[in-house]
Amino acid sequence: MSRFWISWYGENGVFELHSPWWVSGYRDDDFIFCAAVIAPDEAAAKAQIVETHDEPVELEWRFAEERPDDWTPFCGRFPRSPWMRWLDDSTPSETPNDH
């Protein structure tokens, strides 16, 4: 399994994802989401996001990047919340993403 940092445009409140995710900005009427997921490949990582939505959706992806095995998404900009399910590593990444 690999770690992925994924971003997409979408509506707020229409999905339930338990891995770490944040609203990182806005575009017109859409929210910009970023999430960290663990999956065997990029297609499976995106499928995890799609499957969490209340209704079938076609998402507009911004990026989906595989990360190193020791990567964690948490940092000052993307802090960990108690509801977020992630691996037990608690060392924040210095640079969680390139975007």
Side-chain angles (χ1 to χ4, degrees):
M1 295 294 234
S2 298
R3 300 173 187 212
F4 288 88
W5 184 239
I6 298 180
S7 182
W8 70 97
Y9 299 105
E11 296 179 40
N12 196 20
V14 296
F15 67 93
E16 185 175 340
L17 178 64
H18 297 283
S19 67
W21 66 268
W22 300 266
V23 173
S24 67
Y26 306 92
R27 178 193 72 171
D28 300 323
D29 292 333
D30 290 329
F31 290 81
I32 300 171
F33 295 98
C34 291
V37 298
I38 298 187
D41 56 40
E42 181 179 323
K46 288 179 176 180
Q48 277 188 42
I49 303 295
V50 170
E51 291 168 2
T52 65
H53 284 72
D54 294 341
E55 298 177 9
V57 293
E58 281 193 41
L59 299 176
E60 182 180 348
W61 302 105
R62 295 182 61 229
F63 56 83
E65 300 172 343
E66 188 171 350
R67 294 300 186 170
D69 290 342
D70 62 347
W71 176 79
T72 181
F74 307 114
C75 67
R77 182 172 180 201
F78 301 105
R80 187 174 199 152
S81 292
W83 60 265
M84 294 177 176
R85 295 182 192 156
W86 192 246
L87 304 171
D88 289 331
D89 52 9
S90 59
T91 305
S93 294
E94 290 182 28
T95 54
N97 61 63
D98 299 324
H99 302 279

